[in-house]
Amino acid sequence: MIVLGIETSCDETAAAVVLDGRRVMSSVVASQTDLHEKYAGVVPELASRAHAERVLPLVREALAQAGVGLGMLDAVAVGNRPGLIGSLLVGVSAASALAWSLGKPLVGIDHVRAHLYAGVLHEDGESPGPDAAFPALGLVVSGGHTSLYEVTNWRTMRRLGATIDDAMGEAFDKAATILGLPYPGGPNLDRLAGEPGANDTAVELPVSRLGKDSLDFSFSGLKTALLYAVQGVPGERAPTPPGPLTPERRRDLAASFQWAACAAAVLKLERALDAASARGTLYRTILTGGGVTSNSRLRRELLALGSRRAVPVLLPRLAWCVDNAAMIAGLGSVRLAAGEADGLGLSAQPTTA
Ligand code: KG4
Ligand code: ZN
């Protein structure tokens, strides 16, 4: 089965061709970083205009790289939720028009859940890695989402928790801004925190726990604590001057922030594993995905958690951690194989359950 995937939910326009659900024949992504850089965040109207200009050239490029003609496609899959409504509409319109003109099925895919699928994809010409065993625990950490899922199978996922304020990637981006690092902040902060000599215990920053049993996340307290460590605590009667932001201190603050953010994510995974085993459920895989799973420290800690708890952890390859259309085509193939498809009335939805 050959499926074309289209993804336009935020600021990356992407198209991909996936064979039999897991083999990525091509995956092309046009980032809009340059467009939004000067605003230090995504401007929705600029994003949807750029998607409209780029989506068809990218589809052509993905087909050409895969050596696949339009007539060879079995279906078109599109990320139709959640995201910026104007951006989603561009992808949904393009995918619906293609599916209609080819007389092929159209499948709408939840972008956040598709991130969890990225870990089972493999490149054309390489042998497939391990498949997911179910039930699985899923962690999505991206710029817009931070959620935990119980994954019964690829088509049945239940959200166990989500961030109550900032997404993890958003917190990395804001922390990077506080430290004066360029946009997009997450990868730059990761690099700085990994410099030789970086001390992740130099500054004590809070690891959010929330209620005793909560599987939700919160990153805004950590972000504020970092701000105070840089600028001093406002309104304190005898404020301790935080000291100048020397290159060494900036590096140590980056490492301390990254330590606390990763510790919070691992803590919630441990809690979810404990809560499940108390109910007699053993998760057989930990699925992960989203831009922040490219973070070097988080990757190490997730693998360490997996070996501590004897649960295999599926980490997507770096290219498929961030937004891409291969994960959309892949999960779309699973829905199609199960006989599911959406009509041409498929709508774009800004939110998800
Ligand atoms: O999944 P993604 O491409 O887009 C959304 O669906 O949101 O994730 C983008 C997010 C950004 O916040 C970016 O800073 C973050 O992922 N990110 C990282 C790293 N690489 C990307 N955060 C921390 N460390 C990284 N290496
Ligand atoms: Zn995403």
Side-chain angles (χ1 to χ4, degrees):
M1 183 193 299
I2 301 180
V3 175
L4 169 71
I6 295 179
E7 156 61 35
T8 63
S9 67
C10 188
D11 61 340
E12 329 274 1
T13 320
V17 178
V18 171
L19 175 68
D20 295 336
R22 291 178 64 189
R23 193 162 133 195
V24 182
M25 301 175 80
S26 66
S27 174
V28 288
V29 181
S31 163
Q32 300 179 5
T33 304
D34 49 335
L35 271 182
H36 305 288
E37 196 168 10
K38 65 172 178 250
Y39 306 101
V42 178
V43 183
E45 183 57 31
L46 293 181
S48 33
R49 285 185 203 190
H51 287 308
E53 284 163 12
R54 297 172 186 189
V55 69
L56 289 181
L58 273 171
V59 165
R60 269 184 222 114
E61 176 69 26
L63 291 169
Q65 281 190 19
V68 162
L70 278 172
M72 293 160 74
L73 295 177
D74 291 297
V76 182
V78 62
N80 74 317
R81 66 189 188 280
L84 301 170
I85 188 68
S87 293
L88 287 167
L89 278 168
V90 176
V92 171
S93 308
S96 311
L98 267 172
W100 173 78
S101 64
L102 299 170
K104 299 289 178 185
L106 173 70
V107 236
I109 292 296
D110 182 300
H111 171 99
V112 184
R113 290 159 196 231
H115 269 302
L116 294 176
Y117 193 82
V120 299
L121 295 170
H122 67 97
E123 305 250 18
D124 207 6
E126 284 180 349
S127 49
D131 204 351
F134 299 110
L137 179 63
L139 172 74
V140 179
V141 278
S142 73
H145 302 276
T146 299
S147 308
L148 268 180
Y149 291 92
E150 179 167 273
V151 184
T152 306
N153 58 55
W154 286 123
R155 294 176 302 120
T156 316
M157 302 188 194
R158 182 169 67 92
R159 196 161 72 184
L160 302 173
T163 182
I164 57 167
D165 41 55
D166 290 352
M168 190 169 173
E170 187 184 357
F172 265 90
D173 294 337
K174 289 175 177 168
T177 305
I178 292 169
L179 294 175
L181 302 173
Y183 174 89
N188 287 320
L189 194 149
D190 186 1
R191 225 166 287 128
L192 183 60
E195 279 187 3
N199 178 3
D200 60 16
T201 58
V203 187
E204 199 181 324
L205 295 172
V207 176
S208 135
R209 291 162 189 276
L210 300 176
K212 183 166 70 62
D213 301 321
S214 171
L215 295 178
D216 289 331
F217 300 83
S218 165
F219 289 100
S220 72
L222 170 60
K223 179 189 65 187
T224 307
L226 179 75
L227 182 72
Y228 289 175
V230 171
Q231 297 183 357
V233 182
E236 253 191 16
R237 250 188 278 142
T240 330
L245 195 57
T246 59
E248 291 72 28
R249 183 157 166 88
R250 188 198 305 268
R251 187 194 64 196
D252 289 349
L253 282 164
S256 303
F257 172 89
Q258 187 167 270
W259 173 84
C262 293
V266 170
L267 184 142
K268 292 303 160 100
L269 284 169
E270 298 252 27
R271 254 188 206 175
L273 290 168
D274 290 341
S277 68
R279 296 193 303 269
T281 303
L282 270 189
Y283 292 126
R284 298 177 61 211
T285 324
I286 297 177
L287 304 168
T288 65
V292 188
T293 45
S294 46
N295 182 270
S296 54
R297 175 161 205 149
L298 185 64
R299 290 178 86 83
R300 279 200 307 278
E301 297 211 357
L302 289 171
L303 292 175
L305 167 76
S307 38
R308 246 187 350 264
R309 305 290 298 237
V311 190
V313 176
L314 292 190
L315 289 172
R317 286 157 205 236
L318 291 181
W320 299 324
C321 288
V322 288
D323 288 350
N324 66 86
M327 65 187 194
I328 302 289
L331 192 53
S333 310
V334 175
R335 285 199 61 200
L336 282 156
E340 293 178 6
D342 296 288
L344 291 173
L346 177 72
S347 62
Q349 293 160 16
T351 56
T352 187

